[in-house]
Amino acid sequence: MQVSSVNDVKIYNLSYGKSLPEWLSDRKKRQLQKKDVEIQRRIELIQDFEMPTVCTSIKVSRDGQFILAAGTYKPRVRCYDTYQLSLKFERCLDSDVVAFDILSEDYSKLVFLHCDRYVEFHSQHGHYYKTRIPKFGRDFSYHYPSCDLYFVGASSEVFRLNLEQGRFLNSLQTDAVENNVCDINPIHHLFATGSAEGRVECWDPRVRNRVGKLDCALSSLTEGTEIQALPSISALKFNGSLTMAVGTSTGQVLLYDLRSSQPLLVKDHFYNLPINSLNFHNQLDLVLSSDSKIIKIWNKDTGKLFSSIEPQTNINSVCVYPNSGMLFTANEDPKMNTFYIPALGPAPQWCSFLDNLTEELEESPESTVYDDYKFVTRKDLENLGLSHLIGSSLLRAYMHGFFMDIRLYHKVKSMVNPFAYEEYRKDKIRQKIEEARTQRVQVKKLPMVNKELALKLMEEGDDEAVAASRKKKGKALPSILEDDRFKVMFENPEYQVDEQSEEFRLLNPIVSKVSQKRKKKLRLLAQQAAVSEQVPEDNDEEPEGRASSEEESSDDDKSWVEEVREQRKLLRQEDRDRRRQERKDADRNTVLVERERNGGEETSNGAESKKTSQPQFYQIKAGEEFRSFNDMARKQKLQKTSLEDRLKLEEHSEISNMADNAVGSKQLTFTLKKSEQQKKQQQAEREHHEERKKLRRSAGHLSSGRGRGWGGRGRGRH
């Protein structure tokens, strides 16, 4: 909400502030409302009170519950319910709306005049009927006693459409070439039309005869008025039974008494822009006239300016909410402005909280701050030696002190205290020393689980904090040690990192290389920051001896690739040693002793079995690895037992059988990314190979056993 004051009249712009896009989530909107001060101060009186691109006209229903607005693009009309403070419905149209009117007390009967000569009627459910007028229309008015619609436009005729009979009636013939606007008096129903020649013609609908003509173009010319073209009538409005306001295309507003041909008052906007809207405020005898730049509120008897509103965008139409101090504007902008002026009247019943809000703002006014002036007290003037300036034009008395020019203040202060910069510098150095002392006292306690990882994270966090502190707007990210989501990793022993596992040994070279790159980058940033602080004018020069980024990346890739290869070699060697040891153990434990078929065991005295049997042969299934005969016999014996016995045996033995392949329980497949230098080298080798293929000589004659060079003799003979 923006508060402005013109002629000591407070004007509250309730639509001021940033508008949030519709596609933002509710969570994102809440975050923006917490951070952005302008969004916090924004008042969304009616939800979605805007158009996609431009709003052309806006009106309020006679019962005051509904606000209807027409706009583009695409052409549409929106209806807002003030009791719900939200959008009630939206209807898209075939073409742009030139003018529209509400025929009923609510939104149930609407008439739209389109730019393509069509007149469209809407009922409560939506589109009802559509017809066409002979000429392009510019404005229309509704005559309630006879149910006639009067259309004016690019013609000298005024077309009449009777809604009771559903047909066109005889048109009214005017003396004008074109008619721009029209209006009907709400009391005695006099019909008036404004022409492009600057004339106003009045007609009596009962007899369909012209009863009067006013030449407003000549009457609008006053002393000192510069006219570049013939003034035409751009706005027309009746008030009561005798008052009529006429707006011209050159920015003048004329107030007439219908009993006189001369205007009572001529008000000039001094912008030379057409008047597009006229409204009356009967409680205070005020007139609200607007052009595309400004809204002026002035007294209709004296012409004295009461207040004015100048929005940031051009104005298309102005609508005053009945019996209140609120008004709406249709602008060349998606947002439709809502202004509240407590001096004109109270807030409407559906937003009565605005009265309490404005009263609280008036009770606690904000202090005015002047950027180009410095407020000083009498004691400050004595310290600066400027007491003799009291009473002169250089000092302006205000409350308990004075306002003086900020340039004069800085100039005098630098002369009185030339060592102010040295004191400021000493204070800054003292602050830096205190900050360094507080950092020395910190004690780091390592957790019980993953101590090496915690120590590594602490070191990286310190480096990043130092690098962030050197930046102007740098902010250190929270550490993993301080995050509650990773707390279990340093408390539960099950999360202990096994550095002897195959996965860790294969990934450790990559992780260590990434951490080395991060540390190297932080050191480089620290060096650059130090150099920029010492020699700020040499920031554009690159320090000598620094290698290019491509060479550094290629060297880093080569180094960690070699480390991964070395680890793979060690893992394969360990796997081969393990398998060799297993075979030795299996051969040592192999017993080629015949067992009796009844399953009897050997006696304790070690006597040999009396019966001898043939050796037993076992068939190894595909995919099984042979370890020992005892292992095969144990597997066959387990197959004959029940599932319950096998589960009990596994529980007592506490041994889980895992099928391992030759390279371990897990495999890692990856493709190495080649550096630019390696790609160039391979490309050069391929080109060289293709070149040698073209230049080589054929050796097809050497395929036979006796070709040239043999001389018909045996090999090796001379």
Side-chain angles (χ1 to χ4, degrees), residues 127-196:
H127 173 76
Y128 179 75
Y129 186 72
K130 194 174 185 179
T131 186
R132 206 171 188 182
I133 58 177
K135 300 292 183 179
F136 290 98
R138 296 178 182 175
D139 196 7
F140 71 93
S141 296
Y142 181 62
H143 186 243
Y144 284 93
S146 62
C147 298
D148 289 344
L149 279 175
Y150 290 82
F151 295 95
V152 297
S155 173
S156 60
E157 295 179 317
V158 178
F159 304 105
R160 294 192 302 152
L161 176 62
N162 188 273
L163 301 184
E164 184 181 9
Q165 303 177 18
R167 66 187 182 93
F168 283 96
L169 303 179
N170 293 332
S171 58
L172 304 179
Q173 185 66 40
T174 63
D175 295 339
V177 178
E178 294 179 348
N179 293 303
N180 295 331
V181 292
C182 63
D183 193 22
I184 294 179
N185 192 289
I187 297 177
H188 50 69
H189 307 292
L190 182 69
F191 173 72
T193 175
S195 65

Side-chain angles (χ1 to χ4, degrees), residues 520-521 524 527-528 541-556 677:
K520 188 175 182 180
K521 185 178 180 180
L524 185 60
Q527 293 176 3
Q528 290 179 355
E541 298 182 2
E542 185 177 0
E544 298 180 359
R546 180 183 175 185
S548 62
S549 59
E550 293 183 359
E551 294 179 356
E552 290 180 356
S553 61
S554 62
D555 295 340
D556 294 339
Q677 189 175 0

Side-chain angles (χ1 to χ4, degrees), residues 8 55 61 74 78 83 238 253 318 330 442 478 522 547 555 558 688 690:
D8 294 332
C55 181
S61 62
K74 299 181 178 179
R78 287 183 173 180
Y83 291 176
F238 280 103
V253 180
V318 177
Q442 295 179 358
L522 291 174
D555 295 340
K558 288 181 180 179
H688 177 70
E690 295 294 335

Side-chain angles (χ1 to χ4, degrees), residues 26-165:
D26 295 338
R27 181 180 180 184
K28 189 66 176 178
K29 290 180 180 179
R30 288 194 299 268
Q31 291 178 355
L32 290 175
Q33 289 176 356
K34 292 180 181 178
K35 296 179 182 178
D36 201 329
V37 180
E38 294 185 2
I39 296 179
Q40 292 177 1
R41 296 179 178 177
R42 181 176 60 97
I43 295 178
E44 193 173 8
L45 190 62
I46 301 176
Q47 188 177 5
D48 298 331
F49 195 63
E50 58 184 11
M51 280 287 172
T53 306
V54 171
C55 181
T56 56
S57 56
I58 184 170
K59 289 189 177 183
V60 180
S61 62
R62 287 197 293 271
D63 60 1
Q65 183 179 354
F66 303 100
I67 302 172
L68 288 99
T72 189
Y73 179 81
K74 299 181 178 179
R76 68 192 64 205
V77 59
R78 287 183 173 180
C79 178
Y80 298 91
D81 191 348
T82 56
Y83 291 176
Q84 303 296 330
L85 298 179
S86 61
L87 178 67
K88 185 173 184 62
F89 66 83
E90 178 184 18
R91 299 173 186 171
C92 290
L93 307 172
D94 295 334
S95 57
D96 291 335
V97 177
V98 177
F100 79 96
D101 198 2
I102 306 171
L103 303 184
S104 60
E105 296 291 331
D106 53 4
Y107 68 92
S108 58
K109 294 180 182 179
L110 304 175
V111 182
F112 298 94
L113 176 62
H114 294 281
C115 62
D116 53 357
R117 296 193 291 142
Y118 275 101
V119 179
E120 189 172 352
F121 297 89
H122 281 220
S123 61
Q124 191 170 5
H125 63 83
H127 173 76
Y128 179 75
Y129 186 72
K130 194 174 185 179
T131 186
R132 206 171 188 182
I133 58 177
K135 300 292 183 179
F136 290 98
R138 296 178 182 175
D139 196 7
F140 71 93
S141 296
Y142 181 62
H143 186 243
Y144 284 93
S146 62
C147 298
D148 289 344
L149 279 175
Y150 290 82
F151 295 95
V152 297
S155 173
S156 60
E157 295 179 317
V158 178
F159 304 105
R160 294 192 302 152
L161 176 62
N162 188 273
L163 301 184
E164 184 181 9
Q165 303 177 18

